[in-house]
Amino acid sequence: CMLSADTDSKVQNAALLLDRLMKDIVTESAAFSVETFIPLLRERLALQNPYVRQFLVGWITVLDGVPDIDMLEYLPGVLDGLFNMLSDPNNEIRQQAELSILEFLDDASTTPEKVDFRQLSGILAARSNTESELTKLTAMKWLDKFTELAPGVLEPHFAKLLSIILPSIAHTNGAIQEVSQTLNQHIHEVHQSGAFGSLDAKGSLEALQTQLKNAAEPTRLESLQWIRSLLTYSRELVKPEIDAITPDLFLAVKDHSEHVVLESLEVLGKLASLESHCFQTLISELLQLFKKEQSPNLLSNRGELILRKLCSVLGSEKFYSELARYLQNDDPEFVSMMVQVMNLILLTAPELQDLRGKLKRSIINSDKESCNLLHQLYNAWRFSPGATISLCFLAQAYSHTSSIIAVLADSFVDVDLLVQIHKLVLLLESPIFAYLRLQLLEPHRYPHLLKSLYGLLMILPQSKAWETLMSRLGSVPTLEMLQMSQGTKPVKPLDEGNASGLNFDKMLESFVDAQRLNASRKKD
């Protein structure tokens, strides 16, 4: 071995002849002890001399070609040394080492029963965590094959593999990026199959927590997907550790990438659906996040995206009613901003179609559950006059709406109110309020609706919104209006009476109290 590295060319030539002779003897002799030879070979694999390395790779290749010697049994002793050579500055040595390693991989795939996968997995996990691109790429190819041949042996290295694979998904080397994505997908499949029954939950979540801060979007995104997978397939293992990572999940909600934001909300929704206290924490922390992030304003920039996603994940009725419960005793200025965003979503988003339908039928059907939901929302909506009016329009509580408008006109008209009414008038022309516009064809049945709309018209200054509403009211049948003015007895309005169980007088009082708080805040 050392003679092959001698500087004297004559010595090198002699060593080469001796090497060939010894290889001939080994391949033909039954007395050769491979068990004795492998430790000597392993010891010298640590040497970095290029001539020595070529000498050693040659011996490994020769031994692997001897029919009576199964090198797979001795692979743990030489594989690490071969991986060392993949970072050698000499291109020829790198190529020889890579060729030898890939040949061993083919052998392992053919006769996996002869391979010590558990021992090799530790070597490969360590070797995949390197700056050498060829070493990393080759180790990951082996690990990917292990997901097929012996997936269970990867479990002890699960946390470490996450910390290696996830950054590599966004590697600048396209080959590493591709094999990382494939390996990641295969480990997902192994995990979902239940092969990782006792993985290191704490270590895994710590690794994912670190990768959530990675600069690369694909890495952050995949980290979140892994957290969701752990919550789904290893729930009991990760449950005691999940509180430690929750703050980072909320930080991800502020991420500049919309994909990361949506995935973080999926994870938070998954977490909230598993434990009731987690649902309460989600609501509380989300509201605190909206309060704190004023520059840039998270609520105005991402509020709709966040709330719609959580409605989709958690269910709009449950999510909205709980949000309203938290908001009703919060800071009035913040509640007003929050409710205006929530109200626009309520009226327009397809994710809230069922909730809109339930509110729309609440008073007409005198459904106690639906009316309780309406009351719950109202307690928060009352801090925004425009939102309150639109909620009442949606629930067809027209008598109460006209009372609200009368209160506003008496004491609380300001620029902010006019802006809210302007937006409301435009919303009344949207498809969601088509039923309301049709009801204008029967003013004798819905007199308070007509009164409410004319009340809004009188509050508005002449503007585009005023013209829009005036044009709409001009479509009301003249004959019907004439009959009403002549005292024809109207049909009893649908929202009057106590059938719904709602105390509209107390609701109006609470609305007035909210407007007084708003007025006091604006003076300060």
Side-chain angles (χ1 to χ4, degrees), residues 25 107 142 156 159 165 167 186 237 255 275 318 357 450 461 470 474 477 514:
I25 294 173
D107 293 342
W142 272 74
I165 295 170
H186 288 163
L237 290 175
D255 197 279
E275 301 289 337
K318 178 182 178 182
L450 200 62
M470 185 65 182

Side-chain angles (χ1 to χ4, degrees), residues 186-197:
H186 288 163
I187 293 181
H188 261 299
E189 293 169 2
V190 172
H191 174 240
Q192 292 168 13
S193 72
F196 297 160

Side-chain angles (χ1 to χ4, degrees), residues 398-399 402 439-440 442-454 481 484 489-496:
Y398 300 136
S399 177
S402 65
Q439 288 171 351
L440 289 175
E442 302 177 279
H444 64 287
R445 293 192 64 200
Y446 305 97
H448 292 297
L449 169 59
L450 200 62
K451 182 179 178 181
S452 298
L453 293 177
Y454 270 109
M481 294 282 287
M484 289 179 64
K489 185 177 180 180
V491 177
K492 184 179 180 181
L494 295 176
D495 62 326
E496 293 182 350

Side-chain angles (χ1 to χ4, degrees), residues 18-151:
L18 178 61
D19 180 47
R20 290 174 180 171
L21 179 61
M22 291 180 63
K23 287 176 180 174
D24 289 339
I25 294 173
V26 167
T27 56
E28 297 176 5
S29 174
F32 176 74
S33 174
V34 68
E35 292 83 1
T36 306
F37 182 76
I38 290 297
L40 297 174
L41 182 63
R42 180 174 61 241
E43 181 182 336
R44 286 157 179 77
L45 281 170
L47 299 175
Q48 297 185 8
N49 185 283
Y51 298 105
V52 172
R53 284 185 161 179
Q54 284 183 320
F55 172 83
L56 295 173
V57 173
W59 268 98
I60 292 172
T61 303
V62 167
L63 292 175
D64 190 38
V66 177
D68 295 334
I69 298 176
D70 191 349
M71 281 298 289
L72 286 179
E73 296 180 15
Y74 308 100
L75 189 56
V78 300
L79 187 62
D80 196 50
L82 286 172
F83 268 99
N84 263 333
M85 298 181 191
L86 292 178
S87 57
D88 194 283
N90 186 302
N91 184 53
E92 186 177 350
I93 293 175
R94 292 198 304 271
Q95 289 179 346
Q96 290 177 356
E98 182 183 14
L99 180 60
S100 180
I101 290 172
L102 293 178
E103 286 178 351
F104 277 126
L105 180 57
D106 289 339
D107 293 342
S109 302
T110 306
T111 54
E113 68 279 359
K114 298 181 179 180
V115 181
D116 187 345
F117 288 104
R118 193 165 300 279
Q119 190 171 352
L120 291 178
S121 64
I123 297 172
L124 295 169
R127 286 297 173 180
S128 61
N129 188 24
T130 178
E131 294 299 320
S132 169
E133 293 185 357
L134 181 58
T135 305
K136 180 186 285 289
L137 178 63
T138 307
M140 285 187 167
K141 286 180 179 178
W142 272 74
L143 289 169
D144 187 47
K145 198 64 179 179
F146 277 28
T147 62
E148 174 189 339
L149 301 176

